């Protein structure tokens, strides 16, 4: 049997189990194995295949919950640095300016009510090396990452929404972040 030790495959398996979908987790692990040593093309094909598979099995809301739980965790150091800035800056516009000055590979915007996290390119280690599109389900993972990161920074639950995605054919990834 092929190895299924790629971190993306492991997180998908764990998320499915967490959501009570043990049987589907086993089916995907057997039908769509992915090893740590997989090529960029193999990883991309795997990502597309598992998105199509879960999109056929679940409604969009369930797919989103499953995929959001697949997110790799935000780096603690980056989160702490941003949280420190947020706690020192009462003004949201000063906060985003100071965060953007750090040049972390993303920018923040604020429209007076919501924040927007903007990536100029796809940073996902599983799919970024292949120049092709994927179903929205793949990008729900970055929503999970963003939700974890900004819930920590803002010390409250946030709601996130994918507005655009490079892997869905847009020029940037744009995620709306609303504080609850």
């Amino acid at each position: 049997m092929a190895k299924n030790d790629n971190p993306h495959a492991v997180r998908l398996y764990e998320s499915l189990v967490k959501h009570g979908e043990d049987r589907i987790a086993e089916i995907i692990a057997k039908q769509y194995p992915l090893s740590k040593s997989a090529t960029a093309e193999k990883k991309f094909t795997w990502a597309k295949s598992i998105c199509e598979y879960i999109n056929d099995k679940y409604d969009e809301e369930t797919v989103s919950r499953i995929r959001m739980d697949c997110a790799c965790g935000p780096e603690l150091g980056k989160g702490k640095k941003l949280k420190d800035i947020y706690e020192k800056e009462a003004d949201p516009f000063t906060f985003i300016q100071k965060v953007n000055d750090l040049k972390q590979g993303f920018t923040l915007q604020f429209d007076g009510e919501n924040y927007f996290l903007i990536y100029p390119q796809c940073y996902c280690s599983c799919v970024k090396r292949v120049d092709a599109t994927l179903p929205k389900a793949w990008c729900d993972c970055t929503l999970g990452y963003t939700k974890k990161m900004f819930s920590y920074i803002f010390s409250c639950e946030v709601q996130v929404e994918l507005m655009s995605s490079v892997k869905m054919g847009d020029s940037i990834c744009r995620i709306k972040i609303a504080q609850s």
Side-chain angles (χ1 to χ4, degrees):
M1 181 175 195
K3 275 190 163 184
N4 204 28
D5 59 356
N6 182 283
H8 295 278
V10 170
R11 284 192 301 271
L12 175 62
Y13 184 93
E14 290 171 350
S15 179
L16 285 161
V17 169
K18 175 182 174 182
H19 289 276
E21 298 297 337
D22 303 53
R23 186 179 68 78
I24 299 298
E26 289 298 328
I27 290 170
I28 289 174
K30 288 179 183 154
Q31 289 183 5
Y32 304 101
L34 188 66
S35 71
K36 285 182 184 177
S37 62
T39 65
E41 292 77 17
K42 172 75 174 154
K43 288 189 252 185
F44 183 88
T45 300
W46 175 85
K48 188 171 185 173
S49 297
I50 62 103
C51 285
E52 290 168 354
Y53 186 88
I54 63 175
N55 279 336
D56 286 345
K57 297 284 182 207
Y58 305 107
D59 61 58
E60 188 175 343
E61 186 178 315
T62 303
V63 168
S64 185
R65 280 195 313 266
I66 290 167
R67 288 292 300 139
M68 283 178 70
D69 282 340
C70 293
C72 47
E75 300 164 26
L76 186 57
K78 182 185 286 187
K80 175 132 179 48
K81 185 184 295 187
L82 300 181
K83 184 175 181 71
D84 289 347
I85 294 170
Y86 180 75
E87 289 175 345
K88 290 176 185 162
E89 299 302 332
D91 175 50
F93 295 101
T94 304
F95 167 66
I96 63 164
Q97 177 186 352
K98 289 193 176 197
V99 168
N100 291 342
D101 287 347
L102 294 174
K103 298 189 185 319
Q104 296 285 309
F106 64 84
T107 55
L108 281 179
Q109 294 177 342
F110 184 70
D111 69 359
E113 187 175 336
N114 299 300
Y115 289 90
F116 294 88
L117 176 64
I118 299 156
Y119 293 114
Q121 64 191 42
C122 177
Y123 290 121
C124 176
S125 63
C126 194
V127 299
K128 69 182 179 183
R129 290 175 188 84
V130 175
D131 188 24
T133 61
L134 286 167
K136 178 190 175 292
W138 186 258
C139 298
D140 284 335
C141 176
T142 198
L143 290 179
Y145 177 93
T146 303
K147 185 175 180 84
K148 286 179 198 176
M149 173 76 90
F150 283 88
S151 290
Y152 170 72
I153 292 167
F154 297 152
S155 298
C156 69
E157 188 75 13
V158 299
Q159 300 304 312
V160 292
E161 180 183 350
L162 186 64
M163 309 301 288
S164 64
S165 164
V166 170
K167 282 299 174 187
M168 290 171 34
D170 298 307
S171 60
I172 59 168
C173 295
R174 183 177 173 90
I175 302 163
K176 179 180 175 182
I177 305 164
Q179 292 177 294
S180 299

